[in-house]
Structure formats: structure tokens, C-alpha cells
Amino acid sequence: MAEPKEQGFLDDIEDAAAEERDAADAEISPQEAEIDALRAERDALQDKFMRALADAENSRKRSEKDRREAENYGGSRLARDMLPVHDNLKRALETITEDQRAASGALVEGIELTLRELLNVFAKHGITVIDPQVGERFDPQHHEAMFEAPLPGTNAGEIIQVSAQGFMLHDRILRPAQVGVSSNRG
């Protein structure tokens, strides 16, 4: 078995390093020590300042984003509550016959103007109509399937009936368009 080498030379190296540190510490004058302490304090305060500055910038960006979202989407509940008004005005116009239009032209024109003004207000506030057409492809991002039926002459996934228009508020869905979808398999 081999004998372990003597560890004395490692102890000598450690003692020499300790003596060098003591000599370096003795050479540092009190003024240099104070300068070093002030530099360390300055560096710590500069780091705190930079972090506080970054925090303030992040807070500003976050509050700006919150303000934009509140401006764009703050009225979404009111807008959603106004959608049945649009639907009812549209239904009223769709049920008017030519005889009724001739007899009550001013009333019909008033309903048309009211619907047009409502759509102008919607547009002013970023509300757009989702108006799918029969034959278009069903898009689950914008449409809600109310029923599925196998309609001859159509392909699976095509819109076969539109029950109600949908609405978007900027880039968010207020209400998906309500549609019937073909379930043909070939």
C-alpha cells in the first residue's frame, strides 16, 4: 500500500496566503478604507436607484395598458345589453310588409333611422357586426352552432341558416353569431 504524501507543503501555502492578506490589510490606510466603503455604498445605492427606475417604468407601462383596456372594453356590459335592442329593431323591419310600409312610411323610416343610428354608435365605440352568410364555413371563433342538420346539397360545416348576427368589441367577441350548420357527410 502506498503511503500518503505529507500535507505540510499545503499548510505552508495557506500560511503564506494568510500573511499576504494581513500585510495587504495593514497597508490600507483608514482613508482608503473609507473610500472603499463609500464606493461600495454608492454602488449599492446606484443599484437600488436603477431597480426603482425600472419598477417605475414597468408600473407606467402596466397602468397605460390598464387604461387602454378600460377605455376599449370598459363599456362591454352596456354594449352587450344593447344587442337585443339591435335585434328587435332588425326583426321589426324584417316583418314589415309592403302594404304596411306604404300605410306607415314615416314609422318605418323612423325605425330604420333608429337602427342606423344605433349601428353608428356601435361603430363609434368599436363594435362591429359579425354577419355570416349561408354557405360560408362555420368558424367556432365567431359563430355559435344552434343546431346541426343534414341539408341536401351542402357540405359538412357549412352555415345553412343564420339565427342572429354576432358582435365584436374591438378584438373581443361580445356575442357570437348564432347559426345552423350542415351535418352532411359527403
Side-chain angles (χ1 to χ4, degrees):
M1 212 152 118
E3 295 243 349
K5 293 189 178 180
E6 195 173 315
Q7 297 290 328
F9 70 94
L10 292 176
D11 292 334
D12 291 340
I13 292 174
E14 289 176 10
D15 290 341
E19 286 177 16
E20 284 182 30
R21 280 193 303 269
D22 291 342
D25 289 344
E27 290 176 13
I28 297 176
S29 69
Q31 291 144 342
E32 289 175 348
E34 184 180 350
I35 289 172
D36 286 345
L38 288 172
R39 284 184 181 137
E41 182 180 355
R42 178 203 64 198
D43 292 345
L45 289 173
Q46 186 175 14
D47 183 57
K48 283 182 181 179
F49 172 74
M50 294 305 284
R51 289 179 189 273
L53 199 60
D55 240 6
E57 181 65 16
N58 288 340
S59 292
R60 184 192 65 74
K61 287 178 181 176
R62 194 171 28 257
S63 67
E64 176 66 22
K65 180 184 174 223
D66 291 346
R67 184 197 62 75
R68 272 193 318 270
E69 282 192 4
E71 185 178 296
N72 287 340
Y73 306 112
S76 64
R77 286 180 59 196
L78 175 64
R80 201 171 285 116
D81 290 344
M82 292 300 294
L83 299 182
V85 174
H86 170 272
D87 294 341
N88 291 333
L89 288 171
K90 192 164 184 210
R91 271 189 224 105
L93 288 172
E94 289 170 354
T95 60
I96 296 173
T97 65
E98 286 304 317
D99 293 338
Q100 291 170 330
R101 187 175 293 274
S104 304
L107 176 64
V108 172
E109 186 178 339
I111 295 171
E112 288 172 341
L113 289 173
T114 303
L115 179 61
R116 196 171 315 130
E117 184 60 29
L118 181 62
L119 288 172
N120 288 337
V121 170
F122 280 179
K124 178 180 173 186
H125 293 281
I127 300 170
T128 56
V129 177
I130 301 171
D131 192 17
Q133 301 299 313
V134 172
E136 287 181 8
R137 223 45 215 139
F138 174 75
D139 178 1
Q141 299 295 321
H142 296 101
H143 307 142
E144 178 181 10
M146 302 307 290
F147 66 89
E148 249 186 335
L151 186 67
T154 61
N155 295 321
E158 282 184 9
I159 296 173
I160 57 175
Q161 181 182 344
V162 178
S163 302
Q165 292 176 322
F167 294 88
M168 291 188 73
L169 177 58
H170 298 288
D171 59 346
R172 293 184 185 170
I173 294 285
L174 274 176
R175 180 180 80 191
Q178 298 170 344
V179 298
V181 181
S182 174
S183 63
N184 279 352
R185 298 289 177 225

